[in-house]
Amino acid sequence: MDSIELLRQRLLAGMVIPAHPLALRKDRSFDEQSQSRLSRYYLDCGAGGLAVGVHTTQFAIHEPHCGLLQPVWQIAAEVTRGRAAHASSNAVLIAGLCGDTHQATAEAALARSLSYDAGLLSLASLKDASEEVLLEHCLQVSRAIPLFGFYLQPAVGGRVLSYRFWRKFCELENVVAIKVAPFNRYQTLDVVRALHDSGRVAEIALYTGNDDSIVVDLCSQYRLGTQRDATPVRFQGGLLGHWACWTRGAVELHQRCQRALAIAPEADPASASAASGGAAEELRALLQLAHQVTDMNAALFDAANGFRGCIAGIQEVLYRQGLIESNLCLDAEETLSVGQAEELDRVQRLYPHLVDDQFVTGWLRLQ
């Protein structure tokens, strides 16, 4: 990207951003070839960006003894630059940032040196800090790289953050987007309200990370108050672990949601009858699809077991498709839960229209 303004335009236009997994061999060593293959797969599916070094990539790669953060970031950057050199692609690169202010700022500088456009800032390591301390932390990191806010659900290491925090966060000059992923409607609304009240709806993009409510988020418009001329708040796209697999279908789904809102800009999925004709019918169909996607996510993310297998489920799907050599995680204890493989079988059987196995098979033949 040439400027923060161009980055804002790209993010506000809306895109699919898969949360990039980590590819390991059967001996748990880093598999550079499969890692590169995954990046190419996402971009060839039509993803508008890649988020690397995030929860789905496994936060353990941020530990110095692991030695994987720079190699993993480097591969995604090389694939993205190579694609841009031979096509009109202008993919956005998002670096997952972790740790205290010193670590996160150093990671931000490294990411910038590798041509990453923005940093998705995890606050998990500051769980006991006050919101004032968190805001100062965010400000310092935002001086090193444009910032993608991150509301991570408490079940996997996040913390509850108030409306006041998000209202102040939206005032930070170099914030370009927020990933909203508390898996909670009330907390999601806190971020929506904060962005609305900040007056920066045209500058800061919202991306859903609510893997349990993907389609509803993408098809919703929020009008807070009675001003009909006010710009509604909406989710432009998603930065999702769910979209780390079955990605071709995710791109098609996102495009379908964007078309539905363009046809019926005043319609909300909760009141689809307000739209007329085909627009209302499409919104009703998307609401039905929303529940199917959530059912798939319950299996993928292992909701029945408190999300214990949320990363392992993604690895398993990619392994079954032949995109990676193993379904292993860095932590030997991080595996599929009992019955999770059968749940994946169930949802793939029930919802073949949401699975991209055929696309992947053809794509792999060309590699």
Side-chain angles (χ1 to χ4, degrees):
M1 294 292 164
D2 295 328
S3 68
I4 193 169
E5 289 76 20
L6 177 59
L7 176 59
R8 291 188 194 280
Q9 291 174 19
R10 290 279 289 124
L11 291 169
L12 286 165
M15 65 181 68
V16 166
I17 305 178
H20 206 305
L22 179 69
L24 300 178
R25 299 186 183 93
K26 294 178 181 179
D27 62 359
R28 283 198 167 81
S29 62
F30 180 43
D31 185 350
E32 296 90 341
Q33 184 176 0
S34 293
Q35 192 74 17
S36 175
R37 184 188 303 119
L38 281 178
S39 296
R40 297 196 309 274
Y41 159 67
Y42 296 133
L43 296 177
D44 286 348
C45 281
L50 302 175
V52 193
V54 295
H55 178 249
T56 304
T57 325
Q58 302 175 50
F59 283 143
I61 71 168
H62 291 264
E63 298 174 7
H65 69 82
C66 193
L68 285 178
L69 184 61
Q70 182 166 346
V72 168
W73 275 349
Q74 183 74 47
I75 286 174
E78 289 173 353
V79 170
T80 302
R81 284 198 299 267
R83 182 182 173 89
H86 298 93
S88 59
S89 172
N90 194 20
V92 173
L93 281 171
I94 310 296
L97 308 176
C98 293
D100 60 16
T101 305
H102 176 76
Q103 177 182 341
T105 303
E107 290 186 355
L110 173 61
R112 280 304 250 176
S113 74
L114 296 171
S115 301
Y116 277 72
D117 300 296
L120 182 72
L121 183 60
S122 170
L123 302 176
S125 64
L126 301 173
K127 292 188 71 172
D128 298 322
S130 69
E131 291 191 344
E132 287 73 20
V133 169
L134 291 181
L135 287 165
E136 179 62 25
H137 171 71
C138 294
L139 173 62
Q140 294 300 323
V141 178
S142 74
R143 289 171 173 162
I145 195 169
L147 211 57
F148 213 116
F150 187 13
Y151 200 165
L152 177 65
Q153 62 158 324
V156 293
R159 58 177 283 180
V160 175
L161 297 164
S162 70
Y163 161 84
R164 178 184 174 278
F165 170 85
W166 289 111
R167 178 65 182 79
K168 293 288 186 180
F169 182 85
C170 288
E171 294 177 3
L172 300 180
E173 181 180 0
N174 286 336
V175 169
V176 294
I178 302 172
K179 171 179 174 174
V180 187
F183 284 43
N184 180 293
R185 291 291 91 193
Y186 300 116
Q187 291 160 8
T188 295
L189 189 58
D190 282 340
V191 183
V192 171
R193 285 179 53 224
L195 177 57
H196 172 271
D197 295 348
S198 74
R200 299 188 70 191
V201 174
E203 298 176 65
I204 298 175
L206 282 187
Y207 275 66
T208 183
N210 288 319
D211 298 75
D212 65 338
S213 194
I214 296 170
V215 179
V216 170
D217 276 354
L218 292 176
C219 289
S220 293
Q221 292 195 103
Y222 297 83
R223 288 193 178 274
L224 306 179
T226 58
Q227 284 185 287
R228 302 305 296 170
D229 58 342
T231 303
V233 182
R234 59 178 292 259
F235 285 88
Q236 279 79 17
L239 195 168
L240 293 155
H242 187 117
W243 285 355
C245 57
W246 305 316
T247 309
R248 182 64 177 178
V251 170
E252 294 169 352
L253 173 64
H254 176 252
Q255 292 172 344
R256 187 173 173 183
C257 292
Q258 285 193 314
R259 286 195 300 269
L261 283 181
I263 293 170
E266 299 299 320
D268 189 273
S271 58
S273 60
S276 61
E281 183 61 33
E282 174 64 355
L283 285 170
R284 281 192 287 270
L286 283 168
L287 271 180
Q288 178 175 293
L289 193 63
H291 304 307
Q292 297 176 356
V293 172
T294 300
D295 192 18
M296 292 192 80
N297 184 261
L300 187 66
F301 271 29
D302 194 28
N305 295 289
F307 305 100
R308 180 184 176 279
C310 61
I311 295 177
I314 296 167
Q315 302 289 103
E316 173 68 13
V317 172
L318 296 172
Y319 173 64
R320 291 181 181 188
Q321 291 184 314
L323 286 164
I324 56 178
E325 181 180 309
S326 82
N327 63 356
L328 299 177
C329 298
L330 287 170
D331 183 351
E333 299 298 316
E334 196 162 4
T335 61
L336 293 176
S337 293
V338 175
Q340 190 178 0
E342 290 76 15
E343 276 294 285
L344 289 170
D345 292 338
R346 178 185 66 83
V347 296
Q348 288 185 267
R349 183 177 64 253
L350 286 177
Y351 312 121
H353 52 291
L354 297 174
V355 173
D356 68 353
D357 289 356
Q358 186 174 354
F359 172 84
V360 171
T361 298
W363 183 84
L364 285 173
R365 289 197 191 105
L366 298 175
Q367 301 307 299

